[in-house]
Amino acid sequence: MATKHENGTILERQAQKLKPPPMYQVLLLNDDYTPMEFVVAIIQEYFNKDHETATHIMLCVHRDGKGACGVFPKDIASTKVEYVLTHARKAGHPLQCVMEEV
Ligand code: TYC
């Protein structure tokens, strides 16, 4: 869009170049040792899912090897990964959690 000023100058507005911020999905990875109910509890606590939805996600991860729990801006995704890993290690489970740009 062009704006004409009183003094005769014409300012061309730059085309909007801002892109929406990149988003990241947080994934849980399957392993043979972490108890199913622990994974369900993690999904409920950190990804605000009800028990049924959390169980569905956990079973997808168990079957497919990995599964997404949610999509977030970068800093929120990385905080969730850190919280999940800290909680799992404190409980003595090898659960893995990673983030990936979507
Ligand atoms: N495979 C695990 C078991 O049989 C359950 C499990 C599900 C572990 C999802 C990790 O991200 C995971 N106890």
Side-chain angles (χ1 to χ4, degrees):
M1 192 184 81
T3 315
K4 183 138 201 253
H5 281 250
E6 326 70 70
N7 64 10
T9 55
I10 292 173
L11 297 177
E12 261 322 309
R13 188 183 286 281
Q14 284 259 319
Q16 183 67 268
K17 280 183 203 149
L18 290 177
K19 283 188 283 177
M23 299 293 278
Y24 292 79
Q25 57 179 351
V26 175
L27 302 156
L28 287 177
L29 308 186
N30 189 36
D31 67 71
D32 292 337
Y33 305 103
T34 304
M36 289 186 173
E37 268 312 318
F38 181 83
V39 178
V40 171
I42 286 277
I43 297 169
Q44 286 188 260
E45 181 166 346
Y46 296 106
F47 301 97
N48 305 313
K49 306 297 188 196
D50 61 32
H51 190 268
E52 191 186 342
T53 306
T55 301
H56 177 77
I57 294 171
M58 181 280 294
L59 288 172
C60 289
V61 177
H62 178 70
R63 184 192 61 209
D64 302 336
K66 63 179 176 177
C69 296
V71 176
F72 310 95
K74 192 174 197 173
D75 55 342
I76 295 177
S78 85
T79 301
K80 289 193 185 277
V81 169
E82 188 186 312
Y83 284 2
V84 168
L85 293 178
T86 300
H87 189 150
R89 294 306 166 271
K90 276 192 179 145
H93 301 309
L95 180 63
Q96 285 296 340
C97 184
V98 299
M99 60 194 265
E100 183 172 278
E101 192 174 340
V102 291

